[in-house]
Amino acid sequence: MATTLSSTFRLASLTGTDPVSINIAPTLSLADPSGSGSITTSSLSNDTVLSISNAKDTYVFIRNTGASTAGNVLVTDGGTGNIGLLKPQDFLFIPLKALVGCRVVYDTAVTTLDWFYWTRA
């Protein structure tokens, strides 16, 4: 059974040399399964958010919820490729191709993060 995920994304800045005003509000079509969790990192953290064996395209959201003094988190694919670096309060939302996978890896200090994924219909 397909459902939808409503989203709103806004970037706005009137200062600097490149002012920006971007507003988008796509409705994403979803199917089962979905998943979510919370992770507290340690120096040994290399945690799977989405398995490389996942055979469906997904939307993945990860947010480093740590305070400003918390550590960074590397977001990698299921192999050795880096997708992003999340400093405290940074987030990532990405449509991820099937069979790629997603992991979070300790980078600089202990922090916490929340993650969610939804299968693309």
Side-chain angles (χ1 to χ4, degrees), residues 47-68:
D47 299 291
T48 298
V49 171
L50 190 64
S51 170
I52 195 169
S53 64
N54 181 55
K56 301 206 176 190
D57 295 340
T58 56
Y59 296 104
V60 176
F61 176 85
I62 302 172
R63 179 175 175 221
N64 182 343
T65 59
S68 62

Side-chain angles (χ1 to χ4, degrees), residues 102-114:
C102 184
R103 298 180 71 76
V104 289
V105 181
Y106 173 91
D107 185 41
T108 58
V110 171
T111 192
T112 56
L113 56 96
D114 292 332

